[in-house]
Amino acid sequence: MTDARPMGFDTLAIHAGAKPDPATGARQVPIYQTTAYVFRDADHAAALFNLQEVGYIYSRLTNPTVSALAERVAALEGGVGAVCCSSGHAAQIMALFPLMQPGCNVVASTRLYGGTIQQFSNTIRKFGWSAKFVDFDDLKALKAAVDENTRAIFCETIANPGGYITDLDAVSAVAKDVGLPLIVDNTTATPYLCKPIEHGATLVVHSATKYLTGNGTVTGGVVVDSGTFDWSASGKFPSLAAPEPAYHGLNFHAALGGMAFTFHSIAVGLRDLGMTMNPQGAHYTLMGIETLGLRMQRHVENAKVVAEWLEADPRVDFVTWPGLASSPYHDRVARIVPRGAGALFTFGVKGGYEACVRLVDSLTLFSHVANLGDTRSLIIHPASTTHRQLDEAAQIRAGAAPNVVRLSIGIEDVADIIADLDQALARATA
Ligand SMILES: *Cc1c(COP(=O)(O)O)cnc(C)c1O
């Protein structure tokens, strides 16, 4: 394998980050279930702690199984480095951590995973950070929301609860214009459908819990760095481009260039916040990613068949899959997610709240769970679960009105998925 010819997505998904194990020749990435690593001698230990030499010290910082996963996801996203975390929510904090100081804010899209809205609205305030939520289709409002204390712009590629695609090209142009990093949560698209770095993203975050692992076995997260942002240009990012007191005054940008974010995230972020991925979880995610391309292909194929079938059904009010010609975001599909518009969308059931609850209870193949991106088809009724704390007006604004259910279409035989929806819709609307 040489640098001369770039390898394709499916090849990288299997091989990136995974050389035969140097100790045993093991072909699959071993689970290095160890906390610590023996130093060759005192000089070696000192060099590792000084970041003069890259190596393993303690598994809160780095672990060979977890590093293999970081390298693989970085390769798939087209980044220079990545850091794996204990969950997708941990990855979001890890992405913001080197960028923010107390009093700083992030400008975020209104169309986000519900848990992210919660994390950004309330919990980050305890760090002295805040978020401003804006409709990212209104680029003027997005630009106007940026103030002198803004340190990042945050959005999702295909946004929850589904059916919306962010115009990453337009949003990254605004970010560039105001000199701020753009962080894109690419969980629901995966790098198979979209590589946000190619659309101008600075950092990409993932919940590895979803499609990357793909089978509902792991909780994990990843932050990928494009390596392209000049952290020194504005004076706004002292953790990365001024002497960092949390790491004996090291200037990460001056010392490490494009790897500043990744090294800071390990040397300070994981060291002090400790939101580390475990090697067992990393191993499951590595195995999941080997088939990411094949799975995503089937996920989007099935989603198309199901969305078109639902749209033609008189028991259904509307379907939000962006690949449908009726979607207001249909034009963005070819540009942002050319291989398919994802497998996560909502639809409206005639008969409202009661019919939705009956539908969910009547399905037998679909699982009623608060998850997405599984090989299994999943359903949730947001108004009675994830969005039940919101009043009806807020539910409607969030795309989670009482008559809306969300599907995460799996990779089963599509005829079986449709048969299950058909019988459950019959019971729900009888
Ligand atoms: C699930 C999810 C998260 C949070 O990830 P966890 O692994 O559950 O912490 C963040 N963003 C999106 C889009 C998600 O689907």
Side-chain angles (χ1 to χ4, degrees), residues 178-427:
V178 297
L180 290 174
L182 172 64
I183 307 173
V184 177
D185 181 339
N186 200 34
T187 299
T188 55
T190 80
Y192 181 79
L193 299 179
C194 176
K195 294 190 184 68
I197 290 171
E198 290 178 355
H199 297 275
T202 309
L203 303 174
V204 177
V205 294
H206 274 282
S207 168
T209 314
K210 314 293 170 52
Y211 291 106
L212 291 187
T213 310
N215 48 34
T217 50
V218 162
T219 302
V222 188
V223 188
V224 181
D225 181 17
S226 63
T228 55
F229 195 84
D230 183 354
W231 303 108
S232 67
S234 63
K236 289 181 175 171
F237 302 101
S239 285
L240 293 170
E244 166 61 283
Y247 208 88
H248 54 70
L250 182 70
N251 181 323
F252 280 80
H253 186 80
L256 297 152
M259 291 301 285
F261 177 90
T262 303
F263 273 85
H264 187 280
S265 294
I266 295 166
V268 180
L270 289 180
R271 185 196 64 184
D272 295 347
L273 301 178
M275 299 188 280
T276 307
M277 184 183 276
N278 68 79
Q280 187 102 31
H283 181 78
Y284 288 142
T285 305
L286 280 164
M287 288 201 289
I289 289 176
E290 291 187 355
T291 57
L292 180 63
L294 284 172
R295 284 186 288 109
M296 291 313 292
Q297 216 174 319
R298 175 67 83 90
H299 276 296
V300 295
E301 256 171 46
N302 281 0
K304 180 176 196 294
V305 175
V306 174
E308 286 172 353
W309 179 82
L310 284 169
E311 193 175 45
D313 195 291
R315 297 165 295 188
V316 171
D317 275 328
F318 61 86
V319 182
T320 66
W321 190 62
L324 293 170
S326 58
S327 165
Y329 306 105
H330 184 253
D331 289 352
R332 292 181 187 173
V333 173
R335 189 158 46 87
I336 308 289
V337 283
R339 287 165 131 171
L344 187 73
F345 61 92
T346 58
F347 72 97
V349 183
K350 291 221 167 86
Y353 188 99
E354 293 307 323
C356 288
V357 170
R358 275 202 303 277
L359 175 80
V360 167
D361 282 343
S362 303
L363 288 162
T364 58
L365 180 64
F366 276 78
S367 303
H368 181 202
V369 296
N371 192 18
L372 60 93
D374 197 317
T375 48
R376 278 154 277 271
S377 290
L378 313 176
I379 189 165
I380 196 153
H381 178 221
S384 62
T385 56
T386 51
H387 290 63
R388 73 175 295 134
Q389 260 88 357
L390 303 180
D391 60 38
E392 194 171 322
Q395 287 175 343
I396 291 168
R397 274 201 304 281
N403 66 332
V404 172
V405 290
R406 188 193 75 188
L407 302 180
S408 171
I409 298 297
I411 60 174
E412 303 100 331
D413 288 281
V414 74
D416 295 330
I417 298 174
I418 287 180
D420 196 32
L421 284 168
D422 192 27
Q423 64 80 18
L425 274 169
R427 283 164 206 262

